[in-house]
Amino acid sequence: MANNSSIPSDFNQMMTVARYELLKYLRSRRLLGLFALEFLMIALIMIVPPALGRDYPEDPAEFSKVFIQWVWFLIVIGVTLLASDSLVSEFQSRTGYLLFPNPIKKRIIFAGKFLASVAIIFVALSIFYGISSILVFAVDGGLSNLTASSFGLALLFGIAATSVAYLVSSVMKGSTGALVMTFALFLLIFSIVDGILTFAKVKPNFSISFAAGAIEYIMETPYPTDFIRQIPIGNDVLEIAYYYPEVTTAVIVAIVYIIAALAAAMVIFSRREMAA
């Protein structure tokens, strides 16, 4: 008879899964690629202005924004490389035949993997904000308090984007498809929808890519507000809408994406069986 006292608790099992998932990331070239991209972005931001004969912004908030405007792109690349195939790889590589028969619940496996993915995204964001803040402080002699608010929003949207990537991973059949779908969803599909709705003068508050704009706009004082620009063309007037996500709404949108995507991904992953 099995001794239940010898079976690790759900929490310990989750942490074991997270630890091995982190080890997989640390041995992966994808993580090295993500860090290389971070350093390349920072290097270009620091090199290009003086190379063109331009000075760095003297306002710490404005200078930090030059870095922070790339944070959403960094999050998308990070979740695409490190989270989008976390679930589907168990089915495609047949490692699920070894993992699933163990006395561990699928939801615990899911939670451990998700915890590891979020942790590695947090590390990537912390490095980017840390290095960029040091450079801003070294150049301008100060740092804006708004940087901390932007960092908090970046972490929140990092969790939201990882949740959506896990939902994609739970329904796809292969790693390549999951990577392509996640990248296209964030950088193409959501962006196209945002553009079409903005052109139709409908504010896309529901869009995660639109709401993620708060990561950058929170660095502006005062915070930008929506406006309609009118351009006379002959006897007609062309109206172009400029929309900005409100911070409170952006936070709510991120939380809704986290809850909805994680719940759906958990249900699909728990019910999915290994194909013969």
Side-chain angles (χ1 to χ4, degrees):
M1 179 179 293
N3 184 4
N4 290 334
S5 62
S6 64
I7 301 176
S9 65
D10 288 350
F11 177 79
N12 288 335
Q13 290 180 340
M14 181 186 69
M15 297 307 296
T16 299
V17 173
R19 184 168 65 252
Y20 279 102
E21 194 72 5
L22 283 172
L23 287 174
K24 186 182 76 174
Y25 288 141
L26 293 175
R27 295 168 180 166
S28 171
R29 292 181 180 178
R30 295 182 185 182
L31 184 59
L32 293 176
L34 179 62
F35 288 155
L37 176 64
E38 278 191 309
F39 291 120
L40 177 62
M41 292 166 63
I42 292 172
L44 289 175
I45 291 171
M46 294 300 296
I47 292 173
V48 171
L52 298 177
R54 298 177 181 176
D55 297 329
Y56 298 121
E58 296 181 356
D59 179 18
E62 184 180 350
F63 194 10
S64 293
K65 187 185 172 186
V66 176
F67 293 94
I68 291 172
Q69 64 181 332
W70 296 101
V71 166
W72 176 240
F73 176 75
L74 181 64
I75 291 174
V76 171
I77 296 299
V79 299
T80 298
L81 294 177
L82 303 174
S84 62
D85 65 344
S86 290
L87 301 180
V88 71
S89 62
E90 301 294 348
F91 299 94
Q92 183 183 26
S93 304
R94 298 292 190 261
T95 51
Y97 282 120
L98 301 174
L99 182 60
F100 298 154
N102 286 291
I104 179 173
K105 303 179 183 72
K106 272 191 171 180
R107 59 183 173 82
I108 300 301
I109 298 173
F110 181 97
K113 285 176 169 286
F114 182 76
L115 180 63
S117 297
V118 169
I120 211 71
I121 295 298
F122 276 22
V123 170
L125 289 173
S126 298
I127 291 174
F128 188 80
Y129 271 88
I131 295 177
S132 61
S133 296
I134 291 173
L135 293 172
V136 170
F137 187 86
V139 173
D140 289 342
L143 196 62
S144 171
N145 293 331
L146 297 174
T147 305
S149 300
S150 175
F151 181 56
L153 285 172
L155 296 181
L156 180 63
F157 277 93
I159 300 174
T162 304
S163 303
V164 174
Y166 265 58
L167 176 57
V168 172
S169 186
S170 68
V171 299
M172 297 300 290
K173 292 184 178 180
S175 295
T176 303
L179 265 69
V180 173
M181 177 57 72
T182 302
F183 185 80
L185 182 65
F186 285 121
L187 286 190
L188 294 178
I189 298 175
F190 274 118
S191 297
I192 291 173
V193 172
D194 293 349
I196 292 175
L197 291 179
T198 299
F199 183 76
K201 288 185 286 188
V202 177
K203 191 172 182 178
N205 276 322
F206 66 89
S207 168
I208 186 174
S209 59
F210 175 76
I215 299 172
E216 172 188 351
Y217 296 129
I218 201 170
M219 298 301 298
E220 297 185 21
T221 305
Y223 193 86
T225 56
D226 304 339
F227 67 96
I228 304 293
R229 182 181 180 187
Q230 295 182 335
I231 302 176
I233 302 178
N235 295 326
D236 298 324
V237 175
L238 175 64
E239 294 186 336
I240 301 177
Y242 293 85
Y243 294 128
Y244 301 91
E246 298 173 1
V247 175
T248 303
T249 304
V251 170
I252 294 173
V253 168
I255 293 173
V256 169
Y257 270 89
I258 292 171
I259 295 174
L262 277 185
M266 176 80 79
V267 170
I268 295 171
F269 179 69
S270 299
R271 294 181 177 181
R272 189 170 177 178
E273 300 292 342
M274 295 295 298

PDB file of all heavy atoms in Angstrom, residues 66-100:
ATOM      1  N   VAL A  66      12.528  56.535 -23.565  1.00  0.00           N
ATOM      2  CA  VAL A  66      13.188  56.071 -24.791  1.00  0.00           C
ATOM      3  C   VAL A  66      13.461  54.564 -24.708  1.00  0.00           C
ATOM      4  O   VAL A  66      13.320  53.835 -25.689  1.00  0.00           O
ATOM      5  CB  VAL A  66      14.502  56.843 -25.023  1.00  0.00           C
ATOM      6  CG1 VAL A  66      15.226  56.296 -26.250  1.00  0.00           C
ATOM      7  CG2 VAL A  66      14.232  58.336 -25.189  1.00  0.00           C
ATOM      8  N   PHE A  67      13.815  54.093 -23.507  1.00  0.00           N
ATOM      9  CA  PHE A  67      14.018  52.654 -23.296  1.00  0.00           C
ATOM     10  C   PHE A  67      12.679  51.930 -23.157  1.00  0.00           C
ATOM     11  O   PHE A  67      12.449  50.880 -23.756  1.00  0.00           O
ATOM     12  CB  PHE A  67      14.851  52.416 -22.032  1.00  0.00           C
ATOM     13  CG  PHE A  67      16.268  52.899 -22.114  1.00  0.00           C
ATOM     14  CD1 PHE A  67      16.628  54.148 -21.659  1.00  0.00           C
ATOM     15  CD2 PHE A  67      17.254  52.077 -22.656  1.00  0.00           C
ATOM     16  CE1 PHE A  67      17.943  54.594 -21.734  1.00  0.00           C
ATOM     17  CE2 PHE A  67      18.572  52.509 -22.737  1.00  0.00           C
ATOM     18  CZ  PHE A  67      18.914  53.775 -22.276  1.00  0.00           C
ATOM     19  N   ILE A  68      11.798  52.520 -22.345  1.00  0.00           N
ATOM     20  CA  ILE A  68      10.561  51.832 -21.961  1.00  0.00           C
ATOM     21  C   ILE A  68       9.614  51.641 -23.144  1.00  0.00           C
ATOM     22  O   ILE A  68       8.802  50.719 -23.134  1.00  0.00           O
ATOM     23  CB  ILE A  68       9.880  52.629 -20.818  1.00  0.00           C
ATOM     24  CG1 ILE A  68      10.730  52.513 -19.550  1.00  0.00           C
ATOM     25  CG2 ILE A  68       8.469  52.145 -20.556  1.00  0.00           C
ATOM     26  CD1 ILE A  68      10.288  53.403 -18.416  1.00  0.00           C
ATOM     27  N   GLN A  69       9.733  52.453 -24.179  1.00  0.00           N
ATOM     28  CA  GLN A  69       8.841  52.290 -25.321  1.00  0.00           C
ATOM     29  C   GLN A  69       9.040  50.933 -26.022  1.00  0.00           C
ATOM     30  O   GLN A  69       8.211  50.530 -26.838  1.00  0.00           O
ATOM     31  CB  GLN A  69       9.057  53.422 -26.317  1.00  0.00           C
ATOM     32  CG  GLN A  69      10.435  53.451 -26.947  1.00  0.00           C
ATOM     33  CD  GLN A  69      10.619  54.608 -27.913  1.00  0.00           C
ATOM     34  OE1 GLN A  69       9.651  55.068 -28.508  1.00  0.00           O
ATOM     35  NE2 GLN A  69      11.835  55.098 -28.055  1.00  0.00           N
ATOM     36  N   TRP A  70      10.155  50.233 -25.698  1.00  0.00           N
ATOM     37  CA  TRP A  70      10.417  48.932 -26.299  1.00  0.00           C
ATOM     38  C   TRP A  70      10.059  47.772 -25.380  1.00  0.00           C
ATOM     39  O   TRP A  70      10.282  46.600 -25.740  1.00  0.00           O
ATOM     40  CB  TRP A  70      11.902  48.832 -26.672  1.00  0.00           C
ATOM     41  CG  TRP A  70      12.302  49.816 -27.721  1.00  0.00           C
ATOM     42  CD1 TRP A  70      12.962  50.994 -27.528  1.00  0.00           C
ATOM     43  CD2 TRP A  70      12.047  49.735 -29.129  1.00  0.00           C
ATOM     44  NE1 TRP A  70      13.132  51.652 -28.717  1.00  0.00           N
ATOM     45  CE2 TRP A  70      12.577  50.894 -29.720  1.00  0.00           C
ATOM     46  CE3 TRP A  70      11.411  48.798 -29.935  1.00  0.00           C
ATOM     47  CZ2 TRP A  70      12.500  51.132 -31.090  1.00  0.00           C
ATOM     48  CZ3 TRP A  70      11.331  49.030 -31.289  1.00  0.00           C
ATOM     49  CH2 TRP A  70      11.868  50.184 -31.854  1.00  0.00           C
ATOM     50  N   VAL A  71       9.527  48.077 -24.192  1.00  0.00           N
ATOM     51  CA  VAL A  71       9.277  47.015 -23.209  1.00  0.00           C
ATOM     52  C   VAL A  71       8.218  46.020 -23.686  1.00  0.00           C
ATOM     53  O   VAL A  71       8.366  44.813 -23.509  1.00  0.00           O
ATOM     54  CB  VAL A  71       8.881  47.634 -21.850  1.00  0.00           C
ATOM     55  CG1 VAL A  71       8.297  46.575 -20.924  1.00  0.00           C
ATOM     56  CG2 VAL A  71      10.104  48.280 -21.194  1.00  0.00           C
ATOM     57  N   TRP A  72       7.126  46.513 -24.287  1.00  0.00           N
ATOM     58  CA  TRP A  72       6.070  45.602 -24.754  1.00  0.00           C
ATOM     59  C   TRP A  72       6.622  44.661 -25.820  1.00  0.00           C
ATOM     60  O   TRP A  72       6.309  43.463 -25.821  1.00  0.00           O
ATOM     61  CB  TRP A  72       4.877  46.392 -25.290  1.00  0.00           C
ATOM     62  CG  TRP A  72       3.789  45.515 -25.873  1.00  0.00           C
ATOM     63  CD1 TRP A  72       3.308  45.523 -27.151  1.00  0.00           C
ATOM     64  CD2 TRP A  72       3.034  44.502 -25.192  1.00  0.00           C
ATOM     65  NE1 TRP A  72       2.328  44.582 -27.318  1.00  0.00           N
ATOM     66  CE2 TRP A  72       2.133  43.939 -26.135  1.00  0.00           C
ATOM     67  CE3 TRP A  72       3.040  44.011 -23.884  1.00  0.00           C
ATOM     68  CZ2 TRP A  72       1.247  42.917 -25.793  1.00  0.00           C
ATOM     69  CZ3 TRP A  72       2.160  42.996 -23.554  1.00  0.00           C
ATOM     70  CH2 TRP A  72       1.278  42.458 -24.500  1.00  0.00           C
ATOM     71  N   PHE A  73       7.442  45.183 -26.720  1.00  0.00           N
ATOM     72  CA  PHE A  73       8.075  44.332 -27.740  1.00  0.00           C
ATOM     73  C   PHE A  73       8.954  43.273 -27.063  1.00  0.00           C
ATOM     74  O   PHE A  73       8.941  42.097 -27.457  1.00  0.00           O
ATOM     75  CB  PHE A  73       8.924  45.201 -28.671  1.00  0.00           C
ATOM     76  CG  PHE A  73       9.702  44.422 -29.705  1.00  0.00           C
ATOM     77  CD1 PHE A  73       9.078  43.868 -30.805  1.00  0.00           C
ATOM     78  CD2 PHE A  73      11.074  44.235 -29.555  1.00  0.00           C
ATOM     79  CE1 PHE A  73       9.795  43.144 -31.751  1.00  0.00           C
ATOM     80  CE2 PHE A  73      11.803  43.517 -30.486  1.00  0.00           C
ATOM     81  CZ  PHE A  73      11.150  42.959 -31.595  1.00  0.00           C
ATOM     82  N   LEU A  74       9.675  43.677 -26.018  1.00  0.00           N
ATOM     83  CA  LEU A  74      10.524  42.726 -25.290  1.00  0.00           C
ATOM     84  C   LEU A  74       9.673  41.644 -24.623  1.00  0.00           C
ATOM     85  O   LEU A  74      10.039  40.456 -24.630  1.00  0.00           O
ATOM     86  CB  LEU A  74      11.343  43.484 -24.236  1.00  0.00           C
ATOM     87  CG  LEU A  74      12.303  42.648 -23.389  1.00  0.00           C
ATOM     88  CD1 LEU A  74      13.389  42.031 -24.263  1.00  0.00           C
ATOM     89  CD2 LEU A  74      12.920  43.512 -22.296  1.00  0.00           C
ATOM     90  N   ILE A  75       8.536  42.027 -24.044  1.00  0.00           N
ATOM     91  CA  ILE A  75       7.634  41.056 -23.409  1.00  0.00           C
ATOM     92  C   ILE A  75       7.119  40.057 -24.441  1.00  0.00           C
ATOM     93  O   ILE A  75       7.094  38.840 -24.194  1.00  0.00           O
ATOM     94  CB  ILE A  75       6.456  41.786 -22.725  1.00  0.00           C
ATOM     95  CG1 ILE A  75       6.953  42.567 -21.506  1.00  0.00           C
ATOM     96  CG2 ILE A  75       5.373  40.788 -22.303  1.00  0.00           C
ATOM     97  CD1 ILE A  75       5.890  43.437 -20.859  1.00  0.00           C
ATOM     98  N   VAL A  76       6.704  40.558 -25.602  1.00  0.00           N
ATOM     99  CA  VAL A  76       6.168  39.680 -26.652  1.00  0.00           C
ATOM    100  C   VAL A  76       7.231  38.676 -27.111  1.00  0.00           C
ATOM    101  O   VAL A  76       6.953  37.478 -27.246  1.00  0.00           O
ATOM    102  CB  VAL A  76       5.667  40.521 -27.838  1.00  0.00           C
ATOM    103  CG1 VAL A  76       5.307  39.610 -29.019  1.00  0.00           C
ATOM    104  CG2 VAL A  76       4.466  41.349 -27.425  1.00  0.00           C
ATOM    105  N   ILE A  77       8.448  39.165 -27.331  1.00  0.00           N
ATOM    106  CA  ILE A  77       9.530  38.250 -27.743  1.00  0.00           C
ATOM    107  C   ILE A  77       9.804  37.234 -26.640  1.00  0.00           C
ATOM    108  O   ILE A  77       9.995  36.035 -26.902  1.00  0.00           O
ATOM    109  CB  ILE A  77      10.813  39.054 -28.056  1.00  0.00           C
ATOM    110  CG1 ILE A  77      10.585  39.974 -29.261  1.00  0.00           C
ATOM    111  CG2 ILE A  77      11.965  38.089 -28.355  1.00  0.00           C
ATOM    112  CD1 ILE A  77      10.233  39.253 -30.545  1.00  0.00           C
ATOM    113  N   GLY A  78       9.791  37.688 -25.398  1.00  0.00           N
ATOM    114  CA  GLY A  78      10.076  36.800 -24.278  1.00  0.00           C
ATOM    115  C   GLY A  78       9.049  35.688 -24.135  1.00  0.00           C
ATOM    116  O   GLY A  78       9.410  34.514 -24.007  1.00  0.00           O
ATOM    117  N   VAL A  79       7.775  36.029 -24.163  1.00  0.00           N
ATOM    118  CA  VAL A  79       6.745  34.992 -24.001  1.00  0.00           C
ATOM    119  C   VAL A  79       6.684  34.096 -25.232  1.00  0.00           C
ATOM    120  O   VAL A  79       6.338  32.911 -25.130  1.00  0.00           O
ATOM    121  CB  VAL A  79       5.362  35.608 -23.707  1.00  0.00           C
ATOM    122  CG1 VAL A  79       5.399  36.406 -22.415  1.00  0.00           C
ATOM    123  CG2 VAL A  79       4.872  36.462 -24.851  1.00  0.00           C
ATOM    124  N   THR A  80       7.010  34.653 -26.399  1.00  0.00           N
ATOM    125  CA  THR A  80       7.024  33.827 -27.613  1.00  0.00           C
ATOM    126  C   THR A  80       8.116  32.758 -27.513  1.00  0.00           C
ATOM    127  O   THR A  80       7.878  31.580 -27.801  1.00  0.00           O
ATOM    128  CB  THR A  80       7.260  34.697 -28.857  1.00  0.00           C
ATOM    129  OG1 THR A  80       6.194  35.639 -28.987  1.00  0.00           O
ATOM    130  CG2 THR A  80       7.317  33.838 -30.112  1.00  0.00           C
ATOM    131  N   LEU A  81       9.307  33.166 -27.078  1.00  0.00           N
ATOM    132  CA  LEU A  81      10.435  32.237 -27.027  1.00  0.00           C
ATOM    133  C   LEU A  81      10.365  31.278 -25.844  1.00  0.00           C
ATOM    134  O   LEU A  81      10.767  30.113 -25.954  1.00  0.00           O
ATOM    135  CB  LEU A  81      11.753  33.022 -26.959  1.00  0.00           C
ATOM    136  CG  LEU A  81      12.129  33.854 -28.194  1.00  0.00           C
ATOM    137  CD1 LEU A  81      13.419  34.628 -27.924  1.00  0.00           C
ATOM    138  CD2 LEU A  81      12.314  32.955 -29.406  1.00  0.00           C
ATOM    139  N   LEU A  82       9.836  31.753 -24.707  1.00  0.00           N
ATOM    140  CA  LEU A  82       9.982  30.985 -23.472  1.00  0.00           C
ATOM    141  C   LEU A  82       8.685  30.426 -22.899  1.00  0.00           C
ATOM    142  O   LEU A  82       8.736  29.620 -21.966  1.00  0.00           O
ATOM    143  CB  LEU A  82      10.651  31.864 -22.412  1.00  0.00           C
ATOM    144  CG  LEU A  82      12.012  32.442 -22.813  1.00  0.00           C
ATOM    145  CD1 LEU A  82      12.520  33.413 -21.764  1.00  0.00           C
ATOM    146  CD2 LEU A  82      13.022  31.328 -23.033  1.00  0.00           C
ATOM    147  N   ALA A  83       7.535  30.862 -23.403  1.00  0.00           N
ATOM    148  CA  ALA A  83       6.283  30.396 -22.796  1.00  0.00           C
ATOM    149  C   ALA A  83       5.321  29.757 -23.793  1.00  0.00           C
ATOM    150  O   ALA A  83       4.505  28.924 -23.406  1.00  0.00           O
ATOM    151  CB  ALA A  83       5.573  31.578 -22.110  1.00  0.00           C
ATOM    152  N   SER A  84       5.421  30.136 -25.057  1.00  0.00           N
ATOM    153  CA  SER A  84       4.386  29.731 -26.009  1.00  0.00           C
ATOM    154  C   SER A  84       4.341  28.232 -26.274  1.00  0.00           C
ATOM    155  O   SER A  84       3.322  27.706 -26.709  1.00  0.00           O
ATOM    156  CB  SER A  84       4.576  30.485 -27.336  1.00  0.00           C
ATOM    157  OG  SER A  84       5.825  30.154 -27.915  1.00  0.00           O
ATOM    158  N   ASP A  85       5.440  27.508 -26.057  1.00  0.00           N
ATOM    159  CA  ASP A  85       5.415  26.060 -26.314  1.00  0.00           C
ATOM    160  C   ASP A  85       5.662  25.241 -25.052  1.00  0.00           C
ATOM    161  O   ASP A  85       5.995  24.050 -25.139  1.00  0.00           O
ATOM    162  CB  ASP A  85       6.432  25.685 -27.395  1.00  0.00           C
ATOM    163  CG  ASP A  85       7.867  25.947 -26.957  1.00  0.00           C
ATOM    164  OD1 ASP A  85       8.059  26.675 -25.979  1.00  0.00           O
ATOM    165  OD2 ASP A  85       8.780  25.407 -27.610  1.00  0.00           O
ATOM    166  N   SER A  86       5.504  25.846 -23.893  1.00  0.00           N
ATOM    167  CA  SER A  86       5.754  25.131 -22.635  1.00  0.00           C
ATOM    168  C   SER A  86       4.829  23.935 -22.460  1.00  0.00           C
ATOM    169  O   SER A  86       5.240  22.887 -21.959  1.00  0.00           O
ATOM    170  CB  SER A  86       5.605  26.085 -21.452  1.00  0.00           C
ATOM    171  OG  SER A  86       6.659  27.015 -21.426  1.00  0.00           O
ATOM    172  N   LEU A  87       3.568  24.075 -22.843  1.00  0.00           N
ATOM    173  CA  LEU A  87       2.596  22.996 -22.678  1.00  0.00           C
ATOM    174  C   LEU A  87       2.608  22.046 -23.868  1.00  0.00           C
ATOM    175  O   LEU A  87       2.634  20.823 -23.709  1.00  0.00           O
ATOM    176  CB  LEU A  87       1.193  23.585 -22.492  1.00  0.00           C
ATOM    177  CG  LEU A  87       1.002  24.529 -21.295  1.00  0.00           C
ATOM    178  CD1 LEU A  87      -0.438  25.019 -21.242  1.00  0.00           C
ATOM    179  CD2 LEU A  87       1.370  23.845 -19.988  1.00  0.00           C
ATOM    180  N   VAL A  88       2.594  22.607 -25.065  1.00  0.00           N
ATOM    181  CA  VAL A  88       2.485  21.763 -26.260  1.00  0.00           C
ATOM    182  C   VAL A  88       3.713  20.877 -26.456  1.00  0.00           C
ATOM    183  O   VAL A  88       3.628  19.792 -27.045  1.00  0.00           O
ATOM    184  CB  VAL A  88       2.242  22.645 -27.510  1.00  0.00           C
ATOM    185  CG1 VAL A  88       3.495  23.436 -27.870  1.00  0.00           C
ATOM    186  CG2 VAL A  88       1.817  21.796 -28.680  1.00  0.00           C
ATOM    187  N   SER A  89       4.861  21.298 -25.923  1.00  0.00           N
ATOM    188  CA  SER A  89       6.076  20.496 -26.097  1.00  0.00           C
ATOM    189  C   SER A  89       5.956  19.139 -25.410  1.00  0.00           C
ATOM    190  O   SER A  89       6.568  18.158 -25.853  1.00  0.00           O
ATOM    191  CB  SER A  89       7.282  21.258 -25.546  1.00  0.00           C
ATOM    192  OG  SER A  89       7.139  21.502 -24.161  1.00  0.00           O
ATOM    193  N   GLU A  90       5.175  19.058 -24.326  1.00  0.00           N
ATOM    194  CA  GLU A  90       5.000  17.783 -23.638  1.00  0.00           C
ATOM    195  C   GLU A  90       4.266  16.778 -24.529  1.00  0.00           C
ATOM    196  O   GLU A  90       4.503  15.569 -24.433  1.00  0.00           O
ATOM    197  CB  GLU A  90       4.214  17.990 -22.335  1.00  0.00           C
ATOM    198  CG  GLU A  90       4.858  18.939 -21.350  1.00  0.00           C
ATOM    199  CD  GLU A  90       6.168  18.404 -20.784  1.00  0.00           C
ATOM    200  OE1 GLU A  90       6.467  17.208 -20.981  1.00  0.00           O
ATOM    201  OE2 GLU A  90       6.901  19.192 -20.164  1.00  0.00           O
ATOM    202  N   PHE A  91       3.379  17.289 -25.394  1.00  0.00           N
ATOM    203  CA  PHE A  91       2.624  16.412 -26.298  1.00  0.00           C
ATOM    204  C   PHE A  91       3.427  16.127 -27.568  1.00  0.00           C
ATOM    205  O   PHE A  91       3.463  15.006 -28.050  1.00  0.00           O
ATOM    206  CB  PHE A  91       1.284  17.062 -26.648  1.00  0.00           C
ATOM    207  CG  PHE A  91       0.406  17.296 -25.459  1.00  0.00           C
ATOM    208  CD1 PHE A  91       0.421  18.521 -24.792  1.00  0.00           C
ATOM    209  CD2 PHE A  91      -0.424  16.298 -24.978  1.00  0.00           C
ATOM    210  CE1 PHE A  91      -0.382  18.740 -23.680  1.00  0.00           C
ATOM    211  CE2 PHE A  91      -1.233  16.501 -23.857  1.00  0.00           C
ATOM    212  CZ  PHE A  91      -1.206  17.735 -23.215  1.00  0.00           C
ATOM    213  N   GLN A  92       4.072  17.166 -28.086  1.00  0.00           N
ATOM    214  CA  GLN A  92       4.810  16.987 -29.340  1.00  0.00           C
ATOM    215  C   GLN A  92       6.052  16.108 -29.133  1.00  0.00           C
ATOM    216  O   GLN A  92       6.348  15.242 -29.958  1.00  0.00           O
ATOM    217  CB  GLN A  92       5.235  18.347 -29.891  1.00  0.00           C
ATOM    218  CG  GLN A  92       5.951  18.258 -31.230  1.00  0.00           C
ATOM    219  CD  GLN A  92       6.434  19.615 -31.715  1.00  0.00           C
ATOM    220  OE1 GLN A  92       6.674  20.514 -30.920  1.00  0.00           O
ATOM    221  NE2 GLN A  92       6.572  19.777 -33.012  1.00  0.00           N
ATOM    222  N   SER A  93       6.777  16.331 -28.042  1.00  0.00           N
ATOM    223  CA  SER A  93       8.007  15.565 -27.788  1.00  0.00           C
ATOM    224  C   SER A  93       7.743  14.244 -27.089  1.00  0.00           C
ATOM    225  O   SER A  93       8.688  13.504 -26.801  1.00  0.00           O
ATOM    226  CB  SER A  93       8.969  16.405 -26.927  1.00  0.00           C
ATOM    227  OG  SER A  93       9.242  17.645 -27.531  1.00  0.00           O
ATOM    228  N   ARG A  94       6.469  13.982 -26.793  1.00  0.00           N
ATOM    229  CA  ARG A  94       6.072  12.737 -26.125  1.00  0.00           C
ATOM    230  C   ARG A  94       6.637  12.619 -24.713  1.00  0.00           C
ATOM    231  O   ARG A  94       6.625  11.541 -24.141  1.00  0.00           O
ATOM    232  CB  ARG A  94       6.511  11.522 -26.955  1.00  0.00           C
ATOM    233  CG  ARG A  94       5.869  11.467 -28.341  1.00  0.00           C
ATOM    234  CD  ARG A  94       4.366  11.199 -28.220  1.00  0.00           C
ATOM    235  NE  ARG A  94       3.769  10.903 -29.518  1.00  0.00           N
ATOM    236  CZ  ARG A  94       3.109  11.792 -30.250  1.00  0.00           C
ATOM    237  NH1 ARG A  94       2.986  13.036 -29.787  1.00  0.00           N
ATOM    238  NH2 ARG A  94       2.573  11.459 -31.392  1.00  0.00           N
ATOM    239  N   THR A  95       7.150  13.721 -24.141  1.00  0.00           N
ATOM    240  CA  THR A  95       7.645  13.670 -22.755  1.00  0.00           C
ATOM    241  C   THR A  95       6.486  13.515 -21.773  1.00  0.00           C
ATOM    242  O   THR A  95       6.700  13.134 -20.619  1.00  0.00           O
ATOM    243  CB  THR A  95       8.430  14.948 -22.420  1.00  0.00           C
ATOM    244  OG1 THR A  95       7.640  16.095 -22.778  1.00  0.00           O
ATOM    245  CG2 THR A  95       9.731  14.986 -23.180  1.00  0.00           C
ATOM    246  N   GLY A  96       5.267  13.805 -22.246  1.00  0.00           N
ATOM    247  CA  GLY A  96       4.102  13.622 -21.404  1.00  0.00           C
ATOM    248  C   GLY A  96       3.889  12.174 -20.998  1.00  0.00           C
ATOM    249  O   GLY A  96       3.320  11.883 -19.941  1.00  0.00           O
ATOM    250  N   TYR A  97       4.356  11.216 -21.845  1.00  0.00           N
ATOM    251  CA  TYR A  97       4.229   9.800 -21.498  1.00  0.00           C
ATOM    252  C   TYR A  97       5.017   9.474 -20.233  1.00  0.00           C
ATOM    253  O   TYR A  97       4.690   8.547 -19.499  1.00  0.00           O
ATOM    254  CB  TYR A  97       4.734   8.936 -22.652  1.00  0.00           C
ATOM    255  CG  TYR A  97       3.747   8.807 -23.792  1.00  0.00           C
ATOM    256  CD1 TYR A  97       4.087   9.250 -25.070  1.00  0.00           C
ATOM    257  CD2 TYR A  97       2.492   8.247 -23.594  1.00  0.00           C
ATOM    258  CE1 TYR A  97       3.194   9.139 -26.126  1.00  0.00           C
ATOM    259  CE2 TYR A  97       1.589   8.131 -24.648  1.00  0.00           C
ATOM    260  CZ  TYR A  97       1.940   8.574 -25.908  1.00  0.00           C
ATOM    261  OH  TYR A  97       1.048   8.470 -26.945  1.00  0.00           O
ATOM    262  N   LEU A  98       6.089  10.220 -19.971  1.00  0.00           N
ATOM    263  CA  LEU A  98       6.887  10.014 -18.764  1.00  0.00           C
ATOM    264  C   LEU A  98       6.386  10.869 -17.605  1.00  0.00           C
ATOM    265  O   LEU A  98       6.451  10.448 -16.443  1.00  0.00           O
ATOM    266  CB  LEU A  98       8.363  10.364 -19.043  1.00  0.00           C
ATOM    267  CG  LEU A  98       9.059   9.568 -20.145  1.00  0.00           C
ATOM    268  CD1 LEU A  98      10.456  10.125 -20.388  1.00  0.00           C
ATOM    269  CD2 LEU A  98       9.134   8.094 -19.775  1.00  0.00           C
ATOM    270  N   LEU A  99       5.862  12.051 -17.918  1.00  0.00           N
ATOM    271  CA  LEU A  99       5.483  13.008 -16.873  1.00  0.00           C
ATOM    272  C   LEU A  99       4.076  12.748 -16.321  1.00  0.00           C
ATOM    273  O   LEU A  99       3.866  12.705 -15.103  1.00  0.00           O
ATOM    274  CB  LEU A  99       5.572  14.429 -17.430  1.00  0.00           C
ATOM    275  CG  LEU A  99       5.263  15.580 -16.451  1.00  0.00           C
ATOM    276  CD1 LEU A  99       6.238  15.546 -15.278  1.00  0.00           C
ATOM    277  CD2 LEU A  99       5.342  16.915 -17.174  1.00  0.00           C
ATOM    278  N   PHE A 100       3.114  12.565 -17.223  1.00  0.00           N
ATOM    279  CA  PHE A 100       1.712  12.492 -16.785  1.00  0.00           C
ATOM    280  C   PHE A 100       1.378  11.273 -15.925  1.00  0.00           C
ATOM    281  O   PHE A 100       0.510  11.368 -15.043  1.00  0.00           O
ATOM    282  CB  PHE A 100       0.784  12.545 -18.003  1.00  0.00           C
ATOM    283  CG  PHE A 100       0.896  13.830 -18.781  1.00  0.00           C
ATOM    284  CD1 PHE A 100       0.586  13.877 -20.135  1.00  0.00           C
ATOM    285  CD2 PHE A 100       1.306  15.000 -18.157  1.00  0.00           C
ATOM    286  CE1 PHE A 100       0.685  15.057 -20.857  1.00  0.00           C
ATOM    287  CE2 PHE A 100       1.420  16.192 -18.876  1.00  0.00           C
ATOM    288  CZ  PHE A 100       1.112  16.215 -20.224  1.00  0.00           C
TER     289      PHE A 100
END
